[in-house]
Amino acid sequence: MGNLYVLDHPLIHHKLALLRDARTGVKEFREGVGEIAALMCYEAMRDLPTEEREVETPVARARVRVLAGKKLAIVPILRAGLGMVDPILDLVPSAKVGHIGLMRDPETHQPITYYCKLPPDVSQRRVFVLDPMLATGGSAAAAIGYLKEAGCASITMLNLIAAPEGIEVVRKAHPDVDLYVAVVDERLNENAYIVPGLGDAGDRIFGTK
Ligand code: PRP
Ligand code: URA
């Protein structure tokens, strides 16, 4: 059974305050998304296995720990998930990157798939799915479904802001998946936007509105 982790951390709240503010411009918004993604990654990768090595420091021989075990993949949901990729790759540069392109139908709010390209050995990797927003949960559930079809067995989802409705949908559809969310907001509005949320994450990252 997967777990739900709500990070609820002062540093993250501080950065989220900037993202929520409608006056925040594209540059600051994009930087803020990246900074929170890195903080979330730090927590979500806490249980990665390590193995012992020895190195010579300038002073003595030292036992050190390095990452071991399953290799990693990160899979942003396009477009907004792209804002989380580079800061995470800075931390785990050998991770492979897959892309899943989904857009919500404006009427039905159901996800429409327009792209899916995954690393060929993705099923052998521990996969982190990235998307700043978890609203109805339709996009996240669909993306996780594609990864399972590709044979992935170890999947973790990272969202900055989640609605309770979306958390329920993902946990019901994929009870085995760990879910890391920075904060849980109140609800969805009639347009399936998160309230209070931060608006359209993709538009704010790429300046398309
Ligand atoms: C946003 C967001 C998620 C999705 C969340 O993407 O980045 O992918 O909506 O909504 P859901 O939980 O109801 O599926 P959007 O479809 O607006 O595409 P974009 O990132 O290209 O703007
Ligand atoms: N997608 C967004 O970018 N924001 C929302 O509030 C809901 C879906």
Side-chain angles (χ1 to χ4, degrees):
M1 181 70 185
N3 288 309
L4 168 66
Y5 300 92
V6 182
L7 300 191
D8 197 14
H9 189 287
L11 290 178
I12 292 180
H13 282 299
H14 188 81
K15 292 180 188 301
L16 270 176
L18 183 81
L19 297 190
R20 290 189 193 276
D21 190 330
R23 297 167 302 178
T24 299
V26 172
K27 177 175 182 288
E28 289 73 23
F29 189 89
R30 194 185 299 134
E31 287 169 356
V33 168
E35 286 166 3
I36 297 174
L39 292 168
M40 294 189 73
C41 170
Y42 176 81
E43 196 56 36
M45 295 189 181
R46 179 177 286 284
D47 66 344
L48 291 185
T50 58
E51 63 190 17
E52 239 179 44
R53 293 267 172 82
E54 284 201 348
V55 297
E56 290 285 348
T57 79
V59 178
R61 209 161 174 73
R63 282 185 183 288
V64 294
R65 305 204 67 84
V66 297
L67 290 176
K70 247 196 216 168
K71 296 199 170 70
L72 309 179
I74 58 175
V75 178
I77 300 179
L78 308 182
R79 292 172 299 164
L82 288 174
M84 301 170 73
V85 169
D86 285 347
I88 293 182
L89 277 181
D90 286 343
L91 297 171
V92 285
S94 62
K96 295 269 176 73
V97 185
H99 295 88
I100 298 179
L102 298 172
M103 57 179 281
R104 294 203 313 181
D105 181 294
E107 302 295 321
T108 65
H109 309 130
Q110 293 303 305
I112 300 167
T113 308
Y114 59 86
Y115 191 73
C116 184
K117 182 84 177 173
L118 301 172
D121 62 349
V122 72
S123 63
Q124 308 305 312
R125 291 176 177 266
R126 177 151 175 201
V127 182
F128 293 83
V129 185
L130 313 177
D131 196 330
M133 309 304 278
L134 181 66
T136 65
S139 302
I144 294 167
Y146 291 126
L147 290 164
K148 287 186 174 173
E149 276 173 28
C152 300
S154 176
I155 303 172
T156 301
M157 177 91 216
L158 268 58
N159 302 110
L160 270 55
I161 301 185
E165 295 90 329
I167 292 174
E168 200 183 325
V169 164
V170 172
R171 290 193 39 87
K172 209 166 182 180
H174 301 292
D176 53 313
V177 167
D178 277 337
L179 194 52
Y180 283 79
V181 304
V183 289
V184 181
D185 270 10
E186 281 166 31
R187 62 185 170 87
L188 297 177
N189 69 14
E190 58 285 3
N191 298 316
Y193 270 77
I194 300 174
V195 179
L198 48 68
D200 188 305
D203 282 342
R204 295 196 66 190
I205 289 172
F206 295 108
T208 43
K209 207 163 215 168

